[in-house]
Amino acid sequence: DANRQISEYKFKLSKAEQDITTLEQNIGRLEGQVARYKNAAENAEKVEDELKAEKRKLQRELRAALDKLEEMEMTNSHLMKRLEKMKANRTALLSQQ
């Protein structure tokens, strides 16, 4: 009976050691996954920050371009009015002659 219990305990010990080895391997694998996910998250945050900076830069450029466009449209409008006045004056001068 004692030998049977010893054999049983040896088997349980062997099984427990195998379970421990399996669990340690799982821990190593999971730690590797955590490290990869952490690196991926850090890289994603870095890319996100770069994209935000690029977006701010592009928005500044867009505002500058829209301001320039508005300025050019005002200049164009002003020049068109001057041209119309000059045409009207020329027509008036020609009709007086």
Side-chain angles (χ1 to χ4, degrees):
D1 188 45
N3 283 337
R4 185 183 58 76
Q5 279 186 336
I6 290 173
S7 293
E8 206 174 291
Y9 288 134
K10 283 183 181 179
F11 174 76
K12 287 182 180 181
L13 176 62
S14 174
K15 180 79 170 121
E17 287 173 345
Q18 286 178 348
D19 289 345
I20 288 170
T21 302
T22 302
L23 291 172
E24 286 173 344
Q25 290 172 346
N26 284 343
I27 288 170
R29 184 178 50 81
L30 292 172
E31 285 175 344
Q33 282 182 337
V34 167
R36 284 192 302 277
Y37 290 147
K38 184 178 178 183
N39 285 337
E42 288 170 356
N43 289 338
E45 288 174 358
K46 180 180 174 186
V47 169
E48 180 185 19
D49 291 343
E50 290 171 357
L51 288 173
K52 285 180 181 177
E54 180 70 14
K55 180 182 176 184
R56 286 191 299 271
K57 177 185 169 197
L58 291 172
Q59 286 176 329
R60 279 193 305 273
E61 289 177 7
L62 175 61
R63 282 193 302 274
L66 289 174
D67 290 345
K68 184 73 173 173
L69 175 63
E70 185 179 351
E71 179 185 329
M72 291 178 143
E73 286 175 343
M74 287 176 53
T75 301
N76 184 43
S77 174
H78 174 72
L79 291 174
M80 292 293 284
K81 287 177 186 175
R82 284 183 59 193
L83 180 62
E84 290 301 320
K85 284 182 184 179
M86 291 174 77
K87 284 181 182 178
N89 287 340
R90 185 181 72 160
T91 303
L93 285 175
L94 289 175
S95 66
Q96 287 178 355
Q97 292 179 353

Coordinates of all heavy atoms in Angstrom, one line a residue:
D1 N 0.8 -1.2 0.0 CA 0.0 0.0 0.0 C 0.9 1.3 0.0 O 0.6 2.2 -0.7 CB -0.9 0.0 1.2 CG -1.9 1.1 1.2 OD1 -2.5 1.3 0.1 OD2 -2.1 1.8 2.2
A2 N 1.9 1.2 0.8 CA 2.9 2.4 0.9 C 3.5 2.6 -0.5 O 3.7 3.7 -0.9 CB 3.9 2.2 2.0
N3 N 3.9 1.4 -1.1 CA 4.6 1.5 -2.4 C 3.6 2.1 -3.5 O 4.0 2.9 -4.3 CB 5.1 0.2 -2.9 CG 6.3 -0.3 -2.2 OD1 7.1 0.6 -1.7 ND2 6.6 -1.6 -2.2
R4 N 2.4 1.8 -3.4 CA 1.3 2.3 -4.3 C 1.2 3.8 -4.1 O 1.2 4.6 -5.0 CB 0.0 1.6 -4.1 CG -1.1 2.0 -5.1 CD -2.4 1.4 -4.8 NE -2.9 1.7 -3.5 CZ -3.5 2.8 -3.1 NH1 -3.6 3.8 -4.0 NH2 -4.0 3.0 -1.9
Q5 N 1.2 4.2 -2.8 CA 1.1 5.7 -2.5 C 2.3 6.4 -3.0 O 2.2 7.5 -3.6 CB 0.9 5.9 -1.1 CG -0.6 5.7 -0.6 CD -0.7 6.1 0.9 OE1 0.2 6.1 1.6 NE2 -2.0 6.4 1.2
I6 N 3.5 5.8 -2.8 CA 4.7 6.4 -3.3 C 4.7 6.6 -4.8 O 5.1 7.6 -5.3 CB 6.0 5.6 -2.8 CG1 6.1 5.7 -1.3 CG2 7.2 6.1 -3.5 CD1 7.2 4.8 -0.7
S7 N 4.3 5.5 -5.5 CA 4.2 5.6 -6.9 C 3.2 6.6 -7.4 O 3.4 7.4 -8.3 CB 3.8 4.2 -7.5 OG 4.8 3.3 -7.3
E8 N 2.1 6.7 -6.7 CA 1.1 7.7 -7.0 C 1.6 9.1 -6.8 O 1.4 10.0 -7.6 CB -0.1 7.5 -6.1 CG -1.4 7.9 -6.6 CD -2.6 7.5 -5.7 OE1 -2.9 6.3 -5.6 OE2 -3.2 8.4 -5.1
Y9 N 2.3 9.3 -5.7 CA 2.9 10.6 -5.4 C 4.0 11.0 -6.4 O 4.1 12.1 -6.8 CB 3.4 10.7 -4.0 CG 2.3 10.8 -2.9 CD1 2.4 10.0 -1.8 CD2 1.2 11.6 -3.1 CE1 1.4 10.0 -0.8 CE2 0.2 11.7 -2.1 CZ 0.3 10.9 -1.0 OH -0.7 10.9 0.0
K10 N 4.8 10.0 -6.8 CA 5.8 10.2 -7.8 C 5.2 10.7 -9.1 O 5.6 11.6 -9.8 CB 6.7 9.0 -8.0 CG 7.7 8.8 -6.9 CD 8.6 7.6 -7.2 CE 9.6 7.3 -6.2 NZ 10.4 6.1 -6.4
F11 N 4.1 10.0 -9.5 CA 3.4 10.3 -10.7 C 2.8 11.7 -10.6 O 2.9 12.5 -11.5 CB 2.2 9.3 -11.0 CG 1.4 9.7 -12.1 CD1 1.9 9.5 -13.4 CD2 0.1 10.2 -12.0 CE1 1.1 9.8 -14.5 CE2 -0.7 10.6 -13.0 CZ -0.2 10.4 -14.3
K12 N 2.2 12.0 -9.5 CA 1.6 13.4 -9.3 C 2.7 14.4 -9.3 O 2.5 15.5 -9.9 CB 0.9 13.5 -8.0 CG -0.5 12.7 -8.0 CD -1.2 12.9 -6.7 CE -2.5 12.1 -6.7 NZ -3.3 12.3 -5.5
L13 N 3.9 14.1 -8.7 CA 5.0 15.0 -8.7 C 5.5 15.3 -10.2 O 5.7 16.4 -10.6 CB 6.2 14.5 -7.9 CG 7.4 15.4 -7.9 CD1 7.2 16.7 -7.3 CD2 8.5 14.7 -7.1
S14 N 5.6 14.2 -10.9 CA 6.0 14.3 -12.3 C 5.0 15.1 -13.1 O 5.4 16.0 -13.9 CB 6.2 12.9 -12.9 OG 6.4 12.9 -14.3
K15 N 3.8 14.8 -12.9 CA 2.7 15.6 -13.6 C 2.7 17.1 -13.2 O 2.6 17.9 -14.1 CB 1.3 15.0 -13.2 CG 0.2 15.7 -13.8 CD 0.0 15.2 -15.3 CE -1.4 15.7 -15.8 NZ -1.2 16.6 -16.9
A16 N 2.9 17.4 -11.9 CA 3.0 18.8 -11.5 C 4.2 19.4 -12.1 O 4.2 20.6 -12.5 CB 3.1 18.8 -10.0
E17 N 5.4 18.7 -12.2 CA 6.6 19.3 -12.8 C 6.3 19.6 -14.3 O 6.8 20.7 -14.8 CB 7.8 18.4 -12.6 CG 8.3 18.4 -11.2 CD 9.4 17.3 -10.9 OE1 9.5 16.4 -11.8 OE2 10.0 17.4 -9.9
Q18 N 5.6 18.7 -15.0 CA 5.3 19.0 -16.4 C 4.4 20.2 -16.5 O 4.5 21.0 -17.4 CB 4.6 17.7 -17.0 CG 5.5 16.6 -17.3 CD 4.8 15.4 -17.8 OE1 3.5 15.3 -17.8 NE2 5.5 14.4 -18.3
D19 N 3.4 20.2 -15.6 CA 2.5 21.4 -15.6 C 3.2 22.7 -15.3 O 3.0 23.7 -16.0 CB 1.4 21.2 -14.5 CG 0.4 20.1 -14.9 OD1 0.4 19.7 -16.1 OD2 -0.4 19.7 -14.0
I20 N 4.2 22.6 -14.4 CA 5.0 23.8 -14.1 C 5.8 24.2 -15.4 O 5.9 25.4 -15.7 CB 5.9 23.6 -12.9 CG1 5.1 23.5 -11.6 CG2 7.0 24.7 -12.8 CD1 5.9 23.1 -10.4
T21 N 6.4 23.3 -16.0 CA 7.2 23.6 -17.2 C 6.3 24.2 -18.3 O 6.7 25.2 -18.9 CB 7.9 22.3 -17.8 OG1 8.7 21.7 -16.7 CG2 8.7 22.5 -19.0
T22 N 5.1 23.6 -18.5 CA 4.2 24.1 -19.5 C 3.8 25.5 -19.1 O 3.7 26.4 -20.0 CB 2.9 23.2 -19.6 OG1 3.3 21.9 -19.9 CG2 1.9 23.7 -20.6
L23 N 3.5 25.8 -17.9 CA 3.1 27.1 -17.4 C 4.2 28.1 -17.6 O 4.0 29.3 -18.0 CB 2.6 27.1 -16.0 CG 1.2 26.3 -15.8 CD1 1.0 26.2 -14.3 CD2 0.1 27.0 -16.5
E24 N 5.4 27.7 -17.3 CA 6.6 28.6 -17.5 C 6.8 28.9 -19.0 O 7.1 30.1 -19.3 CB 7.9 28.0 -16.9 CG 7.9 28.0 -15.4 CD 9.1 27.2 -14.8 OE1 9.7 26.4 -15.6 OE2 9.4 27.4 -13.6
Q25 N 6.6 28.0 -19.8 CA 6.7 28.2 -21.3 C 5.6 29.2 -21.7 O 5.8 30.1 -22.5 CB 6.5 26.9 -22.1 CG 7.8 26.0 -21.9 CD 7.5 24.7 -22.6 OE1 6.4 24.3 -22.9 NE2 8.6 23.9 -22.7
N26 N 4.4 29.0 -21.2 CA 3.3 29.9 -21.5 C 3.6 31.3 -21.0 O 3.3 32.3 -21.7 CB 2.0 29.4 -20.9 CG 1.3 28.3 -21.6 OD1 1.7 28.0 -22.8 ND2 0.4 27.6 -21.0
I27 N 4.2 31.4 -19.8 CA 4.6 32.7 -19.3 C 5.5 33.4 -20.2 O 5.4 34.6 -20.6 CB 5.2 32.6 -17.9 CG1 4.0 32.3 -16.9 CG2 5.9 33.9 -17.4 CD1 4.6 31.9 -15.5
G28 N 6.6 32.7 -20.7 CA 7.5 33.2 -21.6 C 6.9 33.7 -22.9 O 7.2 34.8 -23.4
R29 N 6.0 32.9 -23.4 CA 5.3 33.2 -24.7 C 4.4 34.5 -24.5 O 4.5 35.4 -25.3 CB 4.4 32.0 -25.1 CG 3.7 32.3 -26.5 CD 2.9 31.0 -26.9 NE 2.0 30.5 -25.8 CZ 0.8 31.0 -25.5 NH1 0.4 32.1 -26.2 NH2 0.1 30.5 -24.6
L30 N 3.7 34.5 -23.4 CA 2.8 35.7 -23.1 C 3.6 36.9 -22.8 O 3.3 38.0 -23.3 CB 1.9 35.3 -21.9 CG 0.9 34.3 -22.2 CD1 0.2 33.9 -20.9 CD2 -0.1 34.7 -23.2
E31 N 4.8 36.8 -22.2 CA 5.6 38.0 -21.9 C 6.2 38.5 -23.3 O 6.2 39.7 -23.5 CB 6.8 37.6 -21.0 CG 6.4 37.5 -19.5 CD 7.5 37.0 -18.6 OE1 8.5 36.5 -19.1 OE2 7.3 37.2 -17.4
G32 N 6.5 37.6 -24.2 CA 6.9 38.0 -25.5 C 5.8 38.7 -26.3 O 6.0 39.8 -26.9
Q33 N 4.6 38.2 -26.1 CA 3.4 38.9 -26.8 C 3.2 40.3 -26.2 O 3.0 41.2 -26.9 CB 2.2 38.1 -26.6 CG 2.1 36.9 -27.5 CD 0.7 36.1 -27.4 OE1 0.1 36.2 -26.3 NE2 0.4 35.4 -28.4
V34 N 3.3 40.4 -24.8 CA 3.1 41.6 -24.2 C 4.2 42.6 -24.7 O 3.9 43.8 -25.0 CB 3.2 41.5 -22.6 CG1 3.4 42.8 -22.0 CG2 2.0 40.8 -22.1
A35 N 5.4 42.2 -24.8 CA 6.5 43.1 -25.3 C 6.2 43.5 -26.7 O 6.3 44.7 -27.0 CB 7.8 42.4 -25.2
R36 N 5.7 42.6 -27.6 CA 5.4 43.0 -29.0 C 4.3 44.0 -29.0 O 4.3 44.9 -29.7 CB 5.1 41.7 -29.8 CG 6.4 41.0 -30.2 CD 6.1 39.9 -31.2 NE 5.0 38.9 -30.8 CZ 5.3 37.9 -30.0 NH1 6.5 37.6 -29.6 NH2 4.3 37.0 -29.7
Y37 N 3.2 43.7 -28.2 CA 2.1 44.6 -28.2 C 2.4 45.9 -27.7 O 1.9 47.0 -28.1 CB 0.9 44.0 -27.4 CG 0.3 42.8 -28.0 CD1 -0.3 41.7 -27.3 CD2 0.1 42.7 -29.4 CE1 -0.9 40.6 -27.9 CE2 -0.5 41.6 -30.0 CZ -1.0 40.6 -29.2 OH -1.6 39.5 -29.8
K38 N 3.3 46.0 -26.7 CA 3.7 47.2 -26.1 C 4.5 48.0 -27.1 O 4.3 49.2 -27.3 CB 4.6 47.0 -24.9 CG 5.0 48.2 -24.1 CD 5.8 47.9 -22.9 CE 6.3 49.2 -22.2 NZ 7.1 48.9 -21.1
N39 N 5.4 47.4 -27.9 CA 6.1 48.1 -28.9 C 5.2 48.6 -30.0 O 5.3 49.7 -30.5 CB 7.2 47.1 -29.5 CG 8.4 47.0 -28.6 OD1 8.7 47.8 -27.8 ND2 9.1 45.9 -28.8
A40 N 4.2 47.7 -30.4 CA 3.3 48.1 -31.4 C 2.5 49.3 -30.9 O 2.2 50.3 -31.7 CB 2.3 47.0 -31.7
A41 N 2.1 49.3 -29.7 CA 1.3 50.5 -29.1 C 2.1 51.7 -29.1 O 1.7 52.8 -29.5 CB 0.8 50.2 -27.7
E42 N 3.4 51.6 -28.7 CA 4.3 52.8 -28.7 C 4.5 53.3 -30.1 O 4.5 54.5 -30.3 CB 5.6 52.4 -28.0 CG 5.5 52.2 -26.5 CD 6.8 51.6 -25.9 OE1 7.7 51.3 -26.7 OE2 6.8 51.5 -24.7
N43 N 4.7 52.4 -31.1 CA 4.9 52.8 -32.4 C 3.6 53.5 -33.0 O 3.7 54.5 -33.7 CB 5.3 51.7 -33.3 CG 6.7 51.2 -33.1 OD1 7.5 51.9 -32.6 ND2 7.0 49.9 -33.4
A44 N 2.5 53.0 -32.6 CA 1.2 53.5 -33.1 C 1.0 54.9 -32.5 O 0.6 55.9 -33.2 CB 0.0 52.6 -32.7
E45 N 1.4 55.1 -31.2 CA 1.3 56.4 -30.6 C 2.3 57.4 -31.3 O 1.9 58.6 -31.5 CB 1.6 56.3 -29.1 CG 0.5 55.7 -28.3 CD 0.9 55.5 -26.8 OE1 2.0 55.8 -26.5 OE2 0.0 55.0 -26.1
K46 N 3.5 56.9 -31.6 CA 4.4 57.8 -32.3 C 3.9 58.2 -33.7 O 4.0 59.4 -34.0 CB 5.7 57.0 -32.5 CG 6.8 57.8 -33.1 CD 8.1 57.0 -33.3 CE 9.2 57.7 -34.1 NZ 10.3 56.9 -34.3
V47 N 3.3 57.3 -34.4 CA 2.8 57.6 -35.7 C 1.6 58.5 -35.6 O 1.4 59.5 -36.3 CB 2.3 56.3 -36.4 CG1 1.5 56.6 -37.7 CG2 3.6 55.5 -36.8
E48 N 0.8 58.3 -34.5 CA -0.4 59.2 -34.3 C 0.1 60.6 -34.0 O -0.4 61.6 -34.6 CB -1.2 58.7 -33.1 CG -2.4 59.6 -32.8 CD -3.1 59.1 -31.5 OE1 -2.5 58.4 -30.7 OE2 -4.3 59.5 -31.4
D49 N 1.1 60.8 -33.2 CA 1.7 62.1 -32.9 C 2.2 62.8 -34.2 O 2.0 63.9 -34.4 CB 2.8 62.0 -31.9 CG 2.3 61.7 -30.5 OD1 1.0 61.8 -30.3 OD2 3.1 61.2 -29.6
E50 N 2.9 62.0 -35.0 CA 3.5 62.5 -36.3 C 2.3 62.9 -37.2 O 2.4 64.0 -37.8 CB 4.3 61.5 -37.0 CG 5.6 61.2 -36.2 CD 6.4 60.0 -36.8 OE1 5.9 59.3 -37.7 OE2 7.5 59.8 -36.3
L51 N 1.3 62.1 -37.2 CA 0.1 62.5 -38.1 C -0.6 63.7 -37.6 O -1.0 64.6 -38.4 CB -0.9 61.3 -38.2 CG -0.4 60.1 -39.0 CD1 -1.4 58.9 -38.8 CD2 -0.2 60.5 -40.5
K52 N -0.7 63.9 -36.3 CA -1.3 65.1 -35.7 C -0.5 66.3 -36.1 O -1.0 67.3 -36.4 CB -1.5 64.9 -34.2 CG -2.6 64.0 -33.8 CD -2.7 64.0 -32.3 CE -3.8 63.0 -31.8 NZ -3.8 62.9 -30.3
A53 N 0.8 66.2 -36.0 CA 1.7 67.3 -36.3 C 1.6 67.6 -37.8 O 1.5 68.8 -38.2 CB 3.2 67.0 -36.0
E54 N 1.5 66.6 -38.6 CA 1.4 66.8 -40.1 C 0.0 67.5 -40.4 O -0.1 68.4 -41.2 CB 1.5 65.5 -40.8 CG 1.4 65.6 -42.3 CD 2.5 66.3 -43.0 OE1 3.6 66.5 -42.4 OE2 2.4 66.7 -44.2
K55 N -1.0 67.1 -39.7 CA -2.3 67.6 -39.9 C -2.3 69.1 -39.5 O -2.9 70.0 -40.2 CB -3.4 66.9 -39.0 CG -4.8 67.4 -39.2 CD -5.8 66.7 -38.3 CE -7.1 67.3 -38.4 NZ -8.1 66.6 -37.5
R56 N -1.7 69.4 -38.4 CA -1.6 70.9 -37.9 C -0.9 71.7 -39.0 O -1.3 72.8 -39.3 CB -1.0 71.0 -36.6 CG -1.8 70.5 -35.4 CD -1.2 70.9 -34.1 NE 0.0 70.3 -33.8 CZ 0.2 69.1 -33.3 NH1 -0.8 68.4 -32.9 NH2 1.5 68.7 -33.1
K57 N 0.2 71.1 -39.5 CA 1.0 71.8 -40.5 C 0.2 72.1 -41.8 O 0.2 73.2 -42.3 CB 2.2 71.0 -40.9 CG 3.1 71.6 -41.9 CD 4.2 70.6 -42.3 CE 4.9 71.1 -43.6 NZ 5.7 70.0 -44.2
L58 N -0.5 71.0 -42.2 CA -1.4 71.2 -43.4 C -2.5 72.1 -43.2 O -2.9 72.9 -44.1 CB -1.9 69.8 -43.8 CG -0.9 68.8 -44.4 CD1 -1.5 67.4 -44.6 CD2 -0.2 69.3 -45.7
Q59 N -3.1 72.2 -42.0 CA -4.1 73.1 -41.7 C -3.6 74.5 -41.7 O -4.3 75.4 -42.2 CB -4.8 72.8 -40.4 CG -5.7 71.6 -40.4 CD -6.3 71.2 -39.1 OE1 -5.6 71.4 -38.0 NE2 -7.4 70.6 -39.1
R60 N -2.4 74.7 -41.2 CA -1.8 76.1 -41.3 C -1.6 76.5 -42.7 O -1.9 77.6 -43.1 CB -0.4 76.1 -40.5 CG -0.5 76.3 -39.0 CD 0.8 76.6 -38.4 NE 1.9 75.6 -38.7 CZ 2.1 74.5 -38.1 NH1 1.4 74.2 -37.0 NH2 3.1 73.7 -38.4
E61 N -1.0 75.5 -43.5 CA -0.8 75.8 -44.9 C -2.1 76.1 -45.7 O -2.2 77.0 -46.5 CB -0.1 74.7 -45.6 CG 1.4 74.5 -45.2 CD 2.0 73.3 -45.8 OE1 1.4 72.6 -46.7 OE2 3.2 73.0 -45.4
L62 N -3.2 75.4 -45.3 CA -4.5 75.6 -46.0 C -5.0 77.0 -45.6 O -5.5 77.8 -46.5 CB -5.5 74.6 -45.5 CG -6.9 74.7 -46.0 CD1 -7.0 74.7 -47.5 CD2 -7.8 73.7 -45.4
R63 N -4.9 77.4 -44.3 CA -5.3 78.7 -43.9 C -4.5 79.8 -44.6 O -5.1 80.8 -45.1 CB -5.2 78.9 -42.4 CG -6.3 78.3 -41.6 CD -6.3 78.7 -40.1 NE -5.1 78.5 -39.4 CZ -4.7 77.3 -38.8 NH1 -5.6 76.3 -38.8 NH2 -3.6 77.2 -38.2
A64 N -3.2 79.6 -44.8 CA -2.4 80.6 -45.5 C -2.8 80.7 -46.9 O -2.9 81.8 -47.5 CB -0.9 80.2 -45.3
A65 N -3.1 79.5 -47.6 CA -3.5 79.5 -49.0 C -4.8 80.2 -49.1 O -5.0 80.9 -50.1 CB -3.5 78.1 -49.5
L66 N -5.8 79.9 -48.2 CA -7.1 80.5 -48.3 C -7.0 82.1 -48.1 O -7.7 82.8 -48.8 CB -8.0 79.9 -47.3 CG -8.5 78.5 -47.6 CD1 -9.3 77.9 -46.4 CD2 -9.2 78.4 -48.9
D67 N -6.1 82.5 -47.2 CA -5.9 83.9 -47.0 C -5.4 84.6 -48.2 O -5.8 85.6 -48.7 CB -5.0 84.2 -45.8 CG -5.6 83.8 -44.5 OD1 -6.9 83.7 -44.4 OD2 -4.9 83.7 -43.5
K68 N -4.4 83.9 -48.8 CA -3.8 84.4 -50.1 C -4.8 84.4 -51.2 O -4.8 85.4 -52.0 CB -2.6 83.5 -50.5 CG -1.8 84.0 -51.6 CD -1.0 85.2 -51.3 CE 0.0 85.5 -52.5 NZ 0.7 86.7 -52.3
L69 N -5.6 83.4 -51.3 CA -6.7 83.4 -52.3 C -7.6 84.6 -52.1 O -8.0 85.2 -53.1 CB -7.4 82.1 -52.3 CG -8.6 81.9 -53.2 CD1 -8.2 82.0 -54.6 CD2 -9.4 80.6 -52.9
E70 N -8.1 84.8 -50.9 CA -9.0 85.9 -50.6 C -8.3 87.2 -51.0 O -9.0 88.1 -51.6 CB -9.4 85.9 -49.1 CG -10.4 86.9 -48.8 CD -10.8 86.9 -47.3 OE1 -10.4 85.9 -46.6 OE2 -11.5 87.8 -46.9
E71 N -7.1 87.4 -50.6 CA -6.4 88.6 -51.0 C -6.3 88.8 -52.5 O -6.5 89.9 -53.0 CB -5.0 88.5 -50.4 CG -4.1 89.7 -50.7 CD -2.7 89.5 -50.2 OE1 -2.5 88.9 -49.2 OE2 -1.8 90.1 -50.8
M72 N -6.0 87.7 -53.2 CA -5.9 87.8 -54.7 C -7.3 88.1 -55.3 O -7.4 88.8 -56.3 CB -5.3 86.5 -55.2 CG -3.9 86.3 -54.9 SD -3.3 84.8 -55.6 CE -1.6 85.3 -56.0
E73 N -8.3 87.5 -54.7 CA -9.7 87.8 -55.3 C -10.0 89.2 -55.0 O -10.6 89.9 -55.9 CB -10.7 86.9 -54.6 CG -10.6 85.4 -55.1 CD -11.6 84.5 -54.4 OE1 -12.0 84.8 -53.3 OE2 -11.8 83.4 -54.9
M74 N -9.7 89.8 -53.9 CA -9.9 91.2 -53.6 C -9.1 92.1 -54.6 O -9.7 93.1 -55.1 CB -9.6 91.6 -52.2 CG -10.6 91.0 -51.2 SD -10.1 91.3 -49.4 CE -9.9 93.1 -49.4
T75 N -7.9 91.7 -54.8 CA -7.0 92.5 -55.7 C -7.6 92.4 -57.1 O -7.7 93.4 -57.9 CB -5.6 92.0 -55.7 OG1 -5.1 92.1 -54.4 CG2 -4.7 92.7 -56.7
N76 N -8.1 91.2 -57.5 CA -8.6 91.0 -58.8 C -9.9 91.9 -59.0 O -10.1 92.6 -60.0 CB -9.0 89.6 -59.1 CG -9.5 89.3 -60.5 OD1 -9.0 89.9 -61.4 ND2 -10.5 88.5 -60.6
S77 N -10.7 91.9 -58.0 CA -12.0 92.7 -58.0 C -11.7 94.1 -58.1 O -12.3 94.9 -58.9 CB -12.8 92.4 -56.7 OG -13.9 93.2 -56.7
H78 N -10.7 94.6 -57.4 CA -10.3 96.0 -57.4 C -9.8 96.3 -58.8 O -10.1 97.4 -59.4 CB -9.2 96.3 -56.4 CG -8.6 97.6 -56.4 ND1 -9.3 98.7 -56.0 CD2 -7.4 98.1 -56.8 CE1 -8.6 99.8 -56.2 NE2 -7.4 99.4 -56.7
L79 N -8.9 95.5 -59.4 CA -8.4 95.8 -60.7 C -9.5 95.7 -61.8 O -9.4 96.5 -62.7 CB -7.3 94.8 -61.0 CG -6.0 94.9 -60.2 CD1 -5.0 93.8 -60.5 CD2 -5.3 96.3 -60.5
M80 N -10.4 94.8 -61.6 CA -11.5 94.8 -62.6 C -12.4 96.1 -62.6 O -12.7 96.6 -63.6 CB -12.4 93.6 -62.3 CG -11.8 92.2 -62.5 SD -11.4 91.9 -64.3 CE -13.0 91.5 -64.9
K81 N -12.6 96.6 -61.4 CA -13.3 97.9 -61.2 C -12.6 99.0 -61.9 O -13.1 99.8 -62.6 CB -13.6 98.2 -59.8 CG -14.7 97.3 -59.2 CD -14.9 97.6 -57.7 CE -15.8 96.6 -57.1 NZ -16.0 96.8 -55.6
R82 N -11.2 99.0 -61.6 CA -10.4 100.1 -62.3 C -10.4 99.9 -63.8 O -10.5 101.0 -64.5 CB -9.0 99.9 -61.8 CG -8.8 100.5 -60.4 CD -7.3 100.5 -59.9 NE -6.5 101.2 -60.8 CZ -5.1 101.2 -60.7 NH1 -4.5 100.4 -59.9 NH2 -4.4 101.9 -61.6
L83 N -10.4 98.7 -64.3 CA -10.4 98.5 -65.7 C -11.8 99.0 -66.3 O -11.8 99.6 -67.4 CB -10.2 97.0 -66.0 CG -10.2 96.6 -67.5 CD1 -9.1 97.3 -68.3 CD2 -10.1 95.1 -67.7
E84 N -12.8 98.7 -65.6 CA -14.2 99.1 -66.1 C -14.2 100.6 -66.1 O -14.8 101.2 -67.0 CB -15.3 98.5 -65.2 CG -15.5 97.0 -65.4 CD -15.8 96.6 -66.8 OE1 -16.6 97.4 -67.4 OE2 -15.3 95.6 -67.2
K85 N -13.7 101.3 -65.1 CA -13.7 102.8 -65.0 C -12.9 103.3 -66.2 O -13.3 104.3 -66.8 CB -13.1 103.3 -63.7 CG -14.1 103.1 -62.5 CD -13.4 103.7 -61.3 CE -14.3 103.5 -60.1 NZ -13.7 104.0 -58.8
M86 N -11.7 102.7 -66.5 CA -10.9 103.2 -67.6 C -11.6 103.0 -68.9 O -11.5 103.9 -69.8 CB -9.5 102.4 -67.5 CG -8.6 102.8 -66.4 SD -7.2 101.8 -66.2 CE -6.2 102.5 -67.5
K87 N -12.3 101.9 -69.1 CA -13.0 101.6 -70.3 C -14.1 102.7 -70.4 O -14.4 103.2 -71.5 CB -13.6 100.2 -70.3 CG -12.6 99.1 -70.6 CD -13.3 97.8 -70.6 CE -12.4 96.7 -70.9 NZ -13.1 95.4 -70.9
A88 N -14.8 102.9 -69.3 CA -15.9 103.9 -69.4 C -15.3 105.3 -69.7 O -15.9 106.1 -70.5 CB -16.6 104.0 -68.0
N89 N -14.2 105.7 -69.1 CA -13.6 107.0 -69.4 C -13.2 107.1 -70.8 O -13.3 108.1 -71.5 CB -12.4 107.2 -68.5 CG -12.8 107.5 -67.0 OD1 -13.9 107.9 -66.8 ND2 -11.9 107.3 -66.1
R90 N -12.6 106.0 -71.4 CA -12.2 106.0 -72.8 C -13.4 106.1 -73.7 O -13.3 106.9 -74.6 CB -11.4 104.7 -73.1 CG -10.8 104.7 -74.5 CD -10.1 103.5 -74.8 NE -11.1 102.4 -74.9 CZ -10.9 101.3 -75.6 NH1 -9.7 101.0 -76.0 NH2 -11.8 100.4 -75.7
T91 N -14.4 105.4 -73.4 CA -15.7 105.5 -74.2 C -16.2 106.9 -74.1 O -16.6 107.5 -75.2 CB -16.7 104.5 -73.7 OG1 -16.1 103.2 -73.7 CG2 -18.0 104.5 -74.5
A92 N -16.2 107.5 -72.9 CA -16.7 108.9 -72.8 C -15.8 109.9 -73.6 O -16.3 110.8 -74.3 CB -16.7 109.3 -71.3
L93 N -14.5 109.7 -73.6 CA -13.6 110.6 -74.3 C -13.8 110.4 -75.8 O -13.8 111.4 -76.6 CB -12.1 110.3 -74.0 CG -11.7 110.8 -72.6 CD1 -10.2 110.3 -72.3 CD2 -11.7 112.3 -72.6
L94 N -14.0 109.2 -76.3 CA -14.2 108.9 -77.7 C -15.5 109.5 -78.2 O -15.6 110.0 -79.3 CB -14.1 107.4 -78.0 CG -12.7 106.8 -77.9 CD1 -12.8 105.3 -78.1 CD2 -11.8 107.4 -78.9
S95 N -16.5 109.4 -77.3 CA -17.8 110.0 -77.7 C -17.8 111.5 -77.7 O -18.6 112.1 -78.4 CB -18.9 109.4 -76.8 OG -18.8 110.0 -75.5
Q96 N -16.9 112.1 -77.0 CA -16.8 113.6 -77.0 C -16.1 114.1 -78.2 O -16.3 115.2 -78.6 CB -16.1 114.1 -75.7 CG -16.9 114.0 -74.4 CD -16.1 114.4 -73.2 OE1 -14.9 114.7 -73.3 NE2 -16.7 114.4 -72.1
Q97 N -15.3 113.3 -78.8 CA -14.5 113.8 -80.0 C -15.4 113.8 -81.2 O -16.1 113.6 -81.9 CB -13.3 112.9 -80.2 CG -12.3 113.1 -79.1 CD -11.1 112.2 -79.3 OE1 -11.0 111.4 -80.2 NE2 -10.1 112.4 -78.4

